[in-house]
């Protein structure tokens, strides 16, 4: 596979063509925050925290590094006043939904984010999509999905599938950056999972 050469934070690096900036950076030990990335899943670009600045042919632009492919001779900046300001705002918006999520608390400390800047709408879900995508792309079970759209979007277990598949799996639980998923499963199980009859009938 052919490689391209470019710069990340002034460091000349090489990466296989087709790799994303986030993948290339992590391979070089350069940290870029992300809450929706997983190496086994297709890039999603949901949380936007991995935003970086790319200079190409004299033009600069802000891009989401988990979906933006590497290219010859581009210059990538992963930290700057502008980038930090954008990440801070994103963290504050996410904390309106999950103010005590450990990963967000840690990021808030790093970027000086205020968890109370925006009105609280504590749903505990930040729509990273990790659980939905892992269940679909890796497990092929489709036991959990998104319902509704926009600000009303939520995750939901599909009772008929989840009642059969999830108890013996639960691989998506540790992926949840807010630790909300397990509680959502227990609630869904109590409210809507159909009873499993003896012998699977």
């Amino acid at each position: 596979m052919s490689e391209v050469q470019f710069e990340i934070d002034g460091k000349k690096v090489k990466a296989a063509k087709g790799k994303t900036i986030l993948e290339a950076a992590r391979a070089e030990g350069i940290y870029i925050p992300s809450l929706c990335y997983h190496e086994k899943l297709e890039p999603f670009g949901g949380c936007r925290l991995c935003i970086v600045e790319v200079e190409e042919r004299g033009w600069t632009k802000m891009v989401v590094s988990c979906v933006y492919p590497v290219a010859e001779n581009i210059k990538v900046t992963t930290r700057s006043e502008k980038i930090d300001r954008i990440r801070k705002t994103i963290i504050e918006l996410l904390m309106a939904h999950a103010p005590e999520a450990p990963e967000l608390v840690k990021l808030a400390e790093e970027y000086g984010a205020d968890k109370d800047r925006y009105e609280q709408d504590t749903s505990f879900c930040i729509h990273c999509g990790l659980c939905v995508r892992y269940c679909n792309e890796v497990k092929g079970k489709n036991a959990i999905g998104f319902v509704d759209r926009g600000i009303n979007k939520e995750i939901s277990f599909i009772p008929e599938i989840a009642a059969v598949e999830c108890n013996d799996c639960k691989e998506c639980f540790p992926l949840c950056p807010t630790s909300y998923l397990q509680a959502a499963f227990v609630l869904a199980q109590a409210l809507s999972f159909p009873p499993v009859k003896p012998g699977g009938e």
Side-chain angles (χ1 to χ4, degrees), residues 4-172:
V4 296
Q5 182 170 299
F6 58 104
E7 288 186 12
I8 301 182
D9 295 336
K11 178 183 178 181
K12 291 190 180 296
V13 299
K14 290 182 179 180
K17 193 173 182 179
K19 290 288 186 182
T20 65
I21 290 174
L22 180 62
E23 290 172 325
R26 291 193 172 185
E28 293 292 330
I30 299 171
Y31 174 70
I32 299 175
S34 176
L35 294 176
C36 69
Y37 172 79
H38 190 285
E39 62 273 7
K40 291 185 179 180
L41 304 176
E42 288 295 315
F44 185 59
C47 74
R48 302 316 225 207
L49 275 175
C50 68
I51 193 165
V52 297
E53 189 171 55
V54 170
E55 180 183 337
E56 186 172 14
R57 300 188 186 94
W59 295 86
T60 60
K61 55 187 174 182
M62 306 301 287
V63 304
V64 180
S65 64
C66 70
V67 297
Y68 197 87
V70 297
E72 193 71 34
N73 296 325
I74 62 173
K75 295 180 179 180
V76 179
T77 301
T78 68
R79 291 293 297 263
S80 68
E81 184 178 340
K82 183 179 181 180
I83 292 169
D84 283 9
R85 187 169 63 249
I86 293 171
R87 287 181 184 160
K88 176 185 175 182
T89 300
I90 293 170
I91 293 163
E92 290 171 338
L93 287 167
L94 294 176
M95 292 190 90
H97 298 285
E100 305 302 328
E103 290 192 47
L104 284 175
V105 170
K106 184 169 65 174
L107 286 166
E109 291 176 357
E110 181 176 352
Y111 288 92
D114 178 4
K115 71 175 184 178
D116 298 316
R117 181 178 178 187
Y118 295 100
E119 183 178 354
Q120 299 290 309
D121 180 18
T122 312
S123 64
F124 303 106
C125 178
I126 60 171
H127 304 149
C128 69
L130 285 172
C131 57
V132 176
R133 292 150 54 219
Y134 189 89
C135 189
N136 181 10
E137 296 176 26
V138 177
K139 304 299 291 186
K141 300 298 184 181
N142 298 297
I144 185 169
F146 284 121
V147 294
D148 221 324
R149 294 182 178 182
I151 61 173
N152 297 315
K153 183 167 67 173
E154 296 180 1
I155 60 163
S156 177
F157 286 91
I158 313 303
E160 295 77 9
I161 304 173
V164 176
E165 302 291 348
C166 293
N167 270 317
D168 293 329
C169 179
K170 300 179 182 175
E171 291 179 23
C172 63

Side-chain angles (χ1 to χ4, degrees), residues 159-196:
E160 295 77 9
I161 304 173
V164 176
E165 302 291 348
C166 293
N167 270 317
D168 293 329
C169 179
K170 300 179 182 175
E171 291 179 23
C172 63
F173 287 4
L175 302 182
C176 179
T178 69
S179 303
Y180 160 71
L181 190 60
Q182 186 167 355
F185 173 74
V186 171
L187 180 62
Q189 190 177 40
L191 294 178
S192 59
F193 284 13
V196 179

